[in-house]
Amino acid sequence: MFLSLVIPVYNRPDEVADFLESLSKQDYSGEFEVVIVEDGSANTCESVVLQYRNQLDISYYFKENSGPGDSRNFGMQKAKGDYFIIFDSDCIIPSEYLTAVAFQLEHDYVDCFGGPDKALDSFSDIQKAINFAMTSFLTTGGIRGGSEKISKFQPRSFNMGLSRKAFEASGGFGNIHPGEDPDLSIRLWNLGFETKLYASAYVYHKRRIDWDKFSIQVNKFGKARPILNHWHPQYGKLTYFFPSFFIIGLALSVLLVFFRIDFFFKMYCLYFVVLFVVASVQNKSLKIGWLSLVAVWKQFFGYGSGFIASFCRINILKQKPQEAFPELFFSK
């Protein structure tokens, strides 16, 4: 099976250098190509790509900015492979990744798969804390960190595989961002395709963001989910409301303390103590344990507040998603 690796890039030449260096060390014996799609960047990575011409079967395309989803579609249209693997440019790929994917596709084939992400020791403390918040069973149920205890897995486009057949049948990614990957998963289910987690196909995800960018990112995640529930109501789940319930419940628990009812506030305190202990042990660092609390709070507050705002506009005020949140949509 010929694999095509498709990577949209926007003003990230340094990331692309690390990414391509990791691909040059793959132990995979089969054929694969790398398709870099420059999404209208001012600071391009073309010179970096040229450095790997002799090490990788690599192609480079520059196009006008139209967002990551459309850029992935562009790359898959240009690719030659039978099966596409989509990465974000801020990922580092373990040397055994492609071998693991090829084994899974041979023994447990699926037209769309997703893999988990991990943090390297070389990542910053904030990157490790954000990684904990995004992947821990205590925060997200582990769905981004390798847990298989979910009925239908929605692959994320930082580490995602898609067959050519599934791409052509679905038309690929839509123009919402974020949210384009779960939207594609649901449309694939409706077309009769299956999705699955390949737990062994993990990547190291840098999450190249500071606290402010992380807050903005998770807030957009929260805004996108009610839109997806509006588009695909049959796949809405109560768990999508949990971050909103969490921040509302925390505010109420603090209010109840003034009425000498402190049980609920103590439960919140216990939860954060458990988070601190688990994050500290997992990362072997008290500092990262503390930073993980910051990351989890920003994650819950950002997502929860975005979800509430979007739910009110889409479900109560009946606004059209593109008019309510134009910042979530790219023009093609």
Side-chain angles (χ1 to χ4, degrees), residues 1-27:
M1 180 179 294
F2 188 86
L3 302 175
S4 292
L5 282 52
V6 178
I7 305 92
V9 182
Y10 184 69
N11 290 327
R12 300 290 178 176
D14 293 340
E15 285 182 356
V16 173
D18 291 340
F19 173 79
L20 293 179
E21 180 64 20
S22 68
L23 284 184
S24 71
K25 298 177 181 178
Q26 290 294 302
D27 61 14

Side-chain angles (χ1 to χ4, degrees), residues 59-95:
S59 55
Y60 172 87
Y61 299 93
F62 184 95
K63 53 177 280 298
E64 292 186 4
N65 180 255
S66 59
D70 191 52
S71 295
R72 297 181 193 112
N73 293 342
F74 179 93
M76 288 186 281
Q77 290 166 355
K78 297 293 184 180
K80 299 174 290 187
D82 311 297
Y83 206 100
F84 310 122
I85 300 178
I86 301 160
F87 296 117
D88 280 353
S89 61
D90 61 344
C91 290
I92 294 175
I93 315 304
S95 60

